[in-house]
Amino acid sequence: MAAELTNITVEYDCPIRASLKDGRLVTILAAFALVLPQILTMFVETVLLAYAQVIMDAPHKPFACARCGNDQKFIWKTQHGKPTKILTVYQWVILRQLQIQCSVCRHKFYLTRPLLGMEPHERIPKEVYRKLGLVGALASYRVGAKIVSTFGWTLDKMTIWK
């Protein structure tokens, strides 16, 4: 579904506040690692909402209702629904789900994962599985946890092992 929607421009304002005790690069990077999940979450939500709005404004949607087959008439149920947790190559992010409702049969469903190219209830995308699998295959699970922590990931060693 996301392949058809490649020509949008998203303007993003990022309010960042960080307290730093000194100006060393190590301190700056540590502060950035702390704000990265917030920045990434806000950015992903902004992009998803922009794509979803383009889809909702189009006369024919790139998806259909699973119950009745309608691909034209949908309404927003919520643009800031239940939180869902997804692992990116940078961090875990908690996104608010986008939910729409079929105007014909009133069936509700989430649009967030289909926009991201993920299956329903999937928490770790296939690309991230491959990268974690490579780390897990080349190193023990404790060493793998150390490796990913150098990139700012806060993953449990068992996540890599699984």
Side-chain angles (χ1 to χ4, degrees), residues 81-85 94-97:
K82 291 184 350 182
T84 186
K85 191 174 179 181
I94 298 174
L95 304 172
R96 296 285 182 176
Q97 298 232 45

Side-chain angles (χ1 to χ4, degrees), residues 100-145:
I100 59 176
Q101 184 175 19
C102 176
S103 296
V104 176
C105 70
R106 299 304 211 210
H107 174 66
K108 294 179 252 181
F109 59 95
Y110 291 113
L111 196 56
T112 305
R113 282 189 173 81
L115 282 174
L116 292 171
M118 297 172 65
E119 296 296 321
H121 307 292
E122 186 179 21
R123 293 180 62 174
I124 303 175
K126 290 171 185 55
E127 304 86 42
V128 177
Y129 265 124
R130 283 195 297 270
K131 290 176 182 178
L132 289 176
L134 179 64
V135 171
L138 296 176
S140 69
Y141 66 101
R142 282 191 179 91
V143 173

Side-chain angles (χ1 to χ4, degrees), residues 23 29 41 67 73 89 104 112:
L29 293 177
T41 298
R67 279 199 193 148
K73 298 179 183 175
V89 294
V104 176
T112 305

Side-chain angles (χ1 to χ4, degrees), residues 85-88 91-92 123-124 128-137 140-142 144-145 148 153-162:
K85 191 174 179 181
I86 296 174
L87 181 64
T88 68
Q91 292 278 335
W92 283 99
R123 293 180 62 174
I124 303 175
V128 177
Y129 265 124
R130 283 195 297 270
K131 290 176 182 178
L132 289 176
L134 179 64
V135 171
S140 69
Y141 66 101
R142 282 191 179 91
V148 297
W153 289 8
T154 52
L155 293 179
D156 183 65
K157 58 185 172 257
M158 288 310 293
T159 304
I160 298 168
W161 185 255
K162 290 177 189 174

